[in-house]
Amino acid sequence: MGNFNLKVDKFINIFIEQNGYVKVVEGLKNTLLIAVIGLIIGIVIGTLIATVRVIPKYKVLPRILNGFCSFYVGLFRGTPMVVQLLVFYYVMLPIIGVKMTGVNVSILVFGLNSGAYISEIMRSGILSVDHGQMEAGRAVGLSFGTTMMKIVIPQAVKNILPTLGNEFIALIKETSVVSFVGAADLYVAFNYIGSNSYEFMVPYLVMAIIYIVIVLLISGGIKIMERSLRKSDRRH
Amino acid sequence: MIDVINLKKKFGDTEVLKGIDVTINKGDIVVVIGPSGSGKSTFLRCLNCMEDPTGGQIIFNGVDIADMRVDINVHRRHMGMVFQHFNLFNNKTVLQNIMLAPVYLRCQDLRKAKKKNFFLKISNVFRKKDARKEPVPINTTPAKIKEEAKAEALELLRKIGLEDKANVYPSTLSGGQKQRVAIVRSLAMKPDVILFDEPTSALDPEMVGEVLDLMKALAKEGMTMIIVTHEMGFAKEVATNVLFIDDGQILESAPPAEFFANPKNPRLKEFLSKVLV
């Protein structure tokens, strides 16, 4: 194993003495930033789309909105994330003439993309809540939107939390493609260390471990959240 | 108070209500009975537009609420509804269940009044001195509204003997307790009329009594109620008027004494002979 020790030494040398850790911390920050803010944007968009899709459709406006939402979901689920990133960064931005950093573009695209997926998750959650809850809210004079926000969606979120956790984990892992648009994430950081030492084994191993640790932490957090949300189901 | 004129409801091609005319006055306790599938629940749900009627009018406090252009949410505040399956908000405690709608809607009214006053102030600048409009008086705050609603809710809970359950979630209550809380929740809006959609059908037999007792107490206080039920004894005792609905039409409407002792419609006679043992 002398060979492996040598590789570890090389890695530690670059990681500490040549400020490799700065890159790693930066990469970690970007990875988390993209995933977390992407998820928040996704939840907002997803909830809005899901709500639109369960509105009763007697009138024209809900129908138009529904058509638009179907189109949006189809578009973002029908193309790979990498393609969306590339199209957004190299096609859309030049056309509308706006300058954005790779990280910001990634956040936006991750939000839009996960919005499409979360909308379907949220819709299934809303449908899982007994219709009587909506009726009871409407019967006391609350509007559709208010009942949705105060009664139905909190219960829906409780039901979909495990799936939502899945989506978050998937997002974290998918951030490894943002280097396509020049955002420095974990992969870029370890790739930098690897190419500086001509030695990729240890850096990529450490990268994998970091990903696993993040995901395990998130799973734990979700479990705690679920327990606190489930308190209304518990019998004393 | 409620005038139903030629009310019709279709689900697809099936005509469930074929023209219902009935007048309900303040203080009336109308019990609606009929075989299952006769349209009695649909009739009740049409009254507060839970199902949108496909024809006819429902004049409630002088407004035709069957008209799709009417803001139904405003009128539903004055029309309580109690469901067969209670439908308490599962993510709220008992107290929150009762307080939610009154607090939210009163705060909303307050915000609207404030907004109106604000624009009035601006437009008053351009008016002559004697033409200026008075702002809407505002003598409450959100905190005060909440405080009042909480006091009212606790008072209502005390009335049904469940004040110790104020801070538990509905999943811990028995069926009878849930239904009583549901009734109190609709009372908290101080409605003019309460609609009951088979309030005791989903209850264990031993819990039916407590719910019926509460409804009787409400009847004594003069609350207007429209009740779809299979409890014939309750209908006999409490109702001021009993309706028999079958096949989407009102076949008989009479005070309970006459309704049960001397039914005229052959279909009702048959129904009663099966139900009353």
Side-chain angles (χ1 to χ4, degrees), chain A residues 9-228:
Chain A
D9 284 345
K10 260 184 175 178
F11 172 72
I12 290 175
N13 178 36
I14 293 198
F15 188 75
I16 294 169
E17 274 151 38
Q18 298 186 29
N19 283 343
Y21 68 92
V22 177
K23 292 248 174 200
V24 170
V25 169
E26 175 78 17
L28 190 63
K29 192 193 87 189
N30 282 343
T31 290
L32 289 178
L33 204 67
I34 293 168
V36 171
I37 302 184
L39 184 79
I40 292 170
I41 297 175
I43 288 176
V44 172
I45 293 179
T47 309
L48 286 175
I49 293 181
T51 309
V52 166
R53 299 194 96 178
V54 296
I55 292 179
K57 292 167 192 68
Y58 312 121
K59 290 181 188 159
V60 183
L61 184 67
R63 273 195 211 154
I64 294 173
L65 282 175
N66 191 44
F68 175 75
C69 290
S70 301
F71 172 73
Y72 176 92
V73 172
L75 190 71
F76 277 92
R77 289 203 306 181
T79 49
M81 182 84 94
V82 185
V83 174
Q84 290 164 20
L85 275 173
L86 292 176
V87 168
F88 212 88
Y89 193 69
Y90 293 107
V91 182
M92 299 283 280
L93 286 188
I95 286 178
I96 53 176
V98 179
K99 282 215 173 98
M100 273 170 98
T101 64
V103 174
N104 288 348
V105 167
S106 305
I107 289 175
L108 196 62
V109 170
F110 270 67
L112 292 172
N113 180 290
S114 69
Y117 285 94
I118 291 176
S119 77
E120 286 299 288
I121 298 174
M122 189 62 92
R123 194 167 67 94
S124 77
I126 291 173
L127 293 180
S128 75
V129 175
D130 179 21
H131 190 60
Q133 298 285 313
M134 172 57 81
E135 285 190 344
R138 300 304 306 274
V140 284
L142 301 175
S143 67
F144 177 88
T146 310
T147 316
M148 210 63 183
M149 226 163 56
K150 299 227 157 203
I151 309 296
V152 178
I153 287 178
Q155 293 182 51
V157 167
K158 190 177 67 186
N159 291 343
I160 61 168
L161 206 61
T163 331
L164 218 50
N166 251 351
E167 176 67 21
F168 187 35
I169 289 169
L171 273 185
I172 292 260
K173 292 187 297 189
E174 261 187 290
T175 50
S176 52
V177 301
V178 297
S179 55
F180 276 78
V181 293
D185 71 326
L186 267 184
Y187 162 73
V188 173
F190 282 103
N191 199 37
Y192 164 85
I193 294 177
S195 35
N196 271 15
S197 61
Y198 308 107
E199 178 48 69
F200 287 94
M201 185 185 185
V202 180
Y204 285 172
L205 187 67
V206 174
M207 178 170 78
I209 292 170
I210 291 183
Y211 271 118
I212 290 178
V213 169
I214 296 174
V215 169
L216 287 180
L217 283 177
I218 291 168
S219 321
I222 290 166
K223 246 179 218 150
I224 294 171
M225 249 169 92
E226 215 182 320
R227 210 173 300 150
S228 78

Side-chain angles (χ1 to χ4, degrees), chain B residues 69-135:
Chain B
R69 283 166 297 184
V70 170
D71 181 8
I72 188 66
N73 295 330
V74 175
H75 299 285
R76 280 198 186 130
R77 294 188 197 182
H78 307 290
M79 255 182 175
M81 188 166 196
V82 175
F83 300 87
Q84 182 176 358
H85 295 287
F86 331 126
N87 294 349
L88 292 179
F89 304 135
N90 294 326
N91 56 335
K92 306 272 176 197
T93 64
V94 168
L95 191 64
Q96 286 167 340
N97 259 281
I98 301 172
M99 281 168 58
L100 175 73
V103 170
Y104 185 84
L105 293 173
R106 280 173 210 165
C107 284
Q108 197 179 39
D109 287 345
L110 182 68
R111 277 200 303 276
K112 273 185 193 160
K114 273 184 184 162
K115 213 196 254 169
K116 198 177 168 194
N117 281 354
F118 177 74
F119 285 111
L120 215 62
K121 228 191 253 169
I122 293 175
S123 62
N124 268 350
V125 174
F126 303 104
R127 288 200 178 93
K128 280 179 196 155
K129 224 169 207 171
D130 48 338
R132 282 189 188 158
K133 286 186 183 166
E134 282 295 308

Side-chain angles (χ1 to χ4, degrees), chain B residues 8-257:
Chain B
K8 283 179 185 164
K9 173 69 188 174
K10 270 186 193 168
F11 287 112
D13 287 335
T14 4
E15 200 169 22
V16 184
L17 298 180
K18 298 174 180 171
I20 286 192
D21 293 275
V22 65
T23 298
I24 294 145
N25 297 315
K26 196 166 167 45
D28 276 3
I29 292 148
V30 178
V31 173
V32 183
I33 63 171
S36 51
S38 60
K40 54 189 190 313
S41 268
T42 308
F43 163 64
L44 195 79
R45 290 166 57 80
C46 277
L47 283 182
N48 67 350
C49 296
M50 214 40 98
E51 307 285 353
D52 289 312
T54 40
Q57 290 175 301
I58 301 162
I59 313 287
F60 176 58
N61 288 344
V63 182
D64 178 12
I65 57 173
D67 188 339
M68 291 293 276
R69 283 166 297 184
V70 170
D71 181 8
I72 188 66
N73 295 330
V74 175
H75 299 285
R76 280 198 186 130
R77 294 188 197 182
H78 307 290
M79 255 182 175
M81 188 166 196
V82 175
F83 300 87
Q84 182 176 358
H85 295 287
F86 331 126
N87 294 349
L88 292 179
F89 304 135
N90 294 326
N91 56 335
K92 306 272 176 197
T93 64
V94 168
L95 191 64
Q96 286 167 340
N97 259 281
I98 301 172
M99 281 168 58
L100 175 73
V103 170
Y104 185 84
L105 293 173
R106 280 173 210 165
C107 284
Q108 197 179 39
D109 287 345
L110 182 68
R111 277 200 303 276
K112 273 185 193 160
K114 273 184 184 162
K115 213 196 254 169
K116 198 177 168 194
N117 281 354
F118 177 74
F119 285 111
L120 215 62
K121 228 191 253 169
I122 293 175
S123 62
N124 268 350
V125 174
F126 303 104
R127 288 200 178 93
K128 280 179 196 155
K129 224 169 207 171
D130 48 338
R132 282 189 188 158
K133 286 186 183 166
E134 282 295 308
V136 192
I138 292 177
N139 44 19
T140 183
T141 61
K144 212 167 152 194
I145 289 174
K146 211 167 177 186
E147 208 53 47
E148 283 168 9
K150 189 173 178 184
E152 280 168 24
L154 284 173
E155 178 59 38
L156 284 167
L157 278 176
R158 196 168 303 128
K159 214 162 113 185
I160 59 170
L162 288 178
E163 63 211 293
D164 53 327
K165 300 279 186 191
N167 293 316
V168 305
Y169 285 95
S171 57
T172 62
L173 299 179
S174 74
Q177 289 171 333
K178 279 185 196 171
Q179 193 62 298
R180 276 148 62 206
V181 171
I183 292 174
V184 159
R185 176 178 66 179
S186 64
L187 278 179
M189 289 299 296
K190 304 195 176 83
D192 299 332
V193 53
I194 301 184
L195 314 174
F196 291 83
D197 189 3
E198 304 201 22
T200 56
S201 298
L203 293 176
D204 292 344
E206 56 173 340
M207 292 170 181
V208 171
E210 56 187 271
V211 172
L212 290 184
D213 284 343
L214 175 59
M215 288 164 66
K216 280 176 200 164
L218 281 182
K220 263 197 201 113
E221 288 169 19
M223 176 60 76
T224 313
M225 306 201 277
I226 305 171
I227 306 158
V228 170
T229 185
H230 295 291
E231 298 289 331
M232 298 301 158
F234 177 78
K236 260 183 205 172
E237 192 185 331
V238 182
T240 55
N241 203 11
V242 187
L243 302 181
F244 177 66
I245 292 188
D246 192 18
D247 200 22
Q249 285 160 316
I250 296 182
L251 296 185
E252 187 139 348
S253 162

